[in-house]
Amino acid sequence: MISTSVKKLVKYALDNELIKKADEIYITNILLGILKVEDFDSEAEIPAEPVCLEKTLGEILDYAVENGIIEDGTVSRDLFDTKLMGVLTPRPSAVIDRFFEEYAKTPEKATDYYYKLSQDSDYIRRYRIVKDMKWKTPTEYGDIDITINLSKPEKDPKAIAAAKNAVQSSYPKCLLCPQTEGYAGNMSKPARQNHRIIPIVINDSPWGFQYSPYVYYNEHCIVFNQEHTPMKIDSSVFRKLFDFVRQFPHYFVGSNADLPIVGGSILSHEHFQGGRYTFAMAKAPIEIPVTFPGFENVTAGIVKWPMSVIRLSCADEAPIIELAAKILANWREYTDEAAYIYAYTGGERHNTITPIARKNGDNYELDLVLRNNITTEERPMGLYHPRNELHHIKKENIGLIEVMGLAVLPSRLKGELDKLGDFIVEGKDIRSDADIEKHADWTEEILKNHKDMPMTKAAVSEMLCEEVGKVFLEVLKDAGVYKDTEEGREAFMRFINSVR
């Protein structure tokens, strides 16, 4: 059985051009050594059809558990199958050489090659990504994307206990450091033997280019400083973003803000996120055109979006960068007490920006999303953070991806929504169940608007998805420093008119 599984894995590597025919015996022996197999049947027959990677790795992992090579558990199995796939993945130098061979043809050919490799090597686990729940919700701002992420495995109790008792290491410093390439991992840090990084130059400095293993949207990439240096939004960030867009004009790229609450989950390492996807915010039109003195050649305006977005567009990125730096410098120091915008309180800075750059036809385009992380006694998690009554759906920070119109919701919601749907259909008391009682008030309200709906499982499931999307729209509205109201637009224009 193990002979057949190993041969299938090697066939998979050959079929997907991870290895060459001349590597077959060598790679087979490396795998046998890892699996401690002494008696290998090299004549074992395997099916001619394409190999199912998930099934084949499952067979090998079961063998490793049964023979005491690894303990059973999601983390142990992930560490081990990544080790196996690392044997099959081409070495970094080979990947880099091939990438730039393809880049010499077109940037698209380079990213097509690299994205396929990242999936074929199982760095991006296709069979987990397809389990993610995804849908769109129509709104007055366009169709926003909703996803419940199921591809990022949750740690099992054994792994949590092992991680707690393990000796803590500062290597690699974080999951974005280039030292993760080939890293074996442990119970608290994922293995990365099948991870490959493409070196690029951004703003005359060494950076890295890779894909996210969890792929929240098409070709979801991460661009990161090779140095472990903190996130920082300053005038140079606009040059860096457009430097990437010039090299990869078919990708957008953006940066999380650099302050807690309104920033991303990793503020300790400078990085951007990009990809080949058009979000609802990018499709949203300019609602109020504006002109900034001295920059009449830059098309500018307030975007029709629930958050506070200034869009700049020009055939030349240089004036966009100069104007963006001016807007950022002004916003950093801007206070408008009437709109409850404070640049500082108690010496703590609050104003920052989430910037997103792209090529749109012949023009370069930059969206500047104004952010503020001030807290109040009533809103201790942030005045411009989702209010408490929305936390049953989304309470995490509203970072770059959410800002653009994609809700990345926690995996717990799948089970909760399934159970909630059953309770609604069966007329059960939602408050009687600890898993879903948090949704009770919300459910009572939304059912008032669906009195004539047939209470079938399918109809209720569709309704819940639609209502979750509406909650996310409220989340975005909460995160906007200027609300989409007459008063909010007047306050927004006060800021724009202050930029000189």
Side-chain angles (χ1 to χ4, degrees), residues 85 125 228 311 414 423 432 491 493:
M85 292 306 297
R125 296 175 184 257
H228 184 77
R311 178 167 295 157
K414 181 182 185 302
F423 270 54
S432 68
M493 286 304 300

Side-chain angles (χ1 to χ4, degrees), residues 66 78 112 151 171 225 229 241 251 339 354 387 409 424 465:
E66 291 163 7
D78 279 4
D112 286 349
S151 56
Y171 180 88
N225 197 321
T229 187
L241 292 175
Y251 276 12
T354 300
R387 57 191 184 275
L409 302 178
I424 293 172
C465 286

Side-chain angles (χ1 to χ4, degrees), residues 257-274:
D258 56 351
L259 294 179
I261 298 175
V262 296
S265 58
I266 303 179
L267 294 176
S268 61
H269 195 129
E270 183 181 23
H271 70 285
F272 307 142
Q273 295 183 78

Side-chain angles (χ1 to χ4, degrees), residues 57-74:
L57 286 175
E59 293 167 358
I60 296 174
L61 290 168
D62 289 344
Y63 172 87
V65 171
E66 291 163 7
N67 287 271
I69 299 170
I70 63 171
E71 290 188 3
D72 201 7
T74 302

Side-chain angles (χ1 to χ4, degrees), residues 377-410:
E377 286 187 14
E378 297 78 19
R379 302 283 285 272
M381 295 183 71
L383 180 61
Y384 305 108
H385 183 82
R387 57 191 184 275
N388 288 347
E389 51 263 43
L390 305 178
H391 289 181
H392 66 108
I393 298 295
K394 178 74 174 176
K395 68 181 293 185
E396 297 80 12
N397 287 357
I398 305 307
L400 170 67
I401 295 173
E402 287 85 3
V403 163
M404 295 186 292
L406 169 59
V408 180
L409 302 178

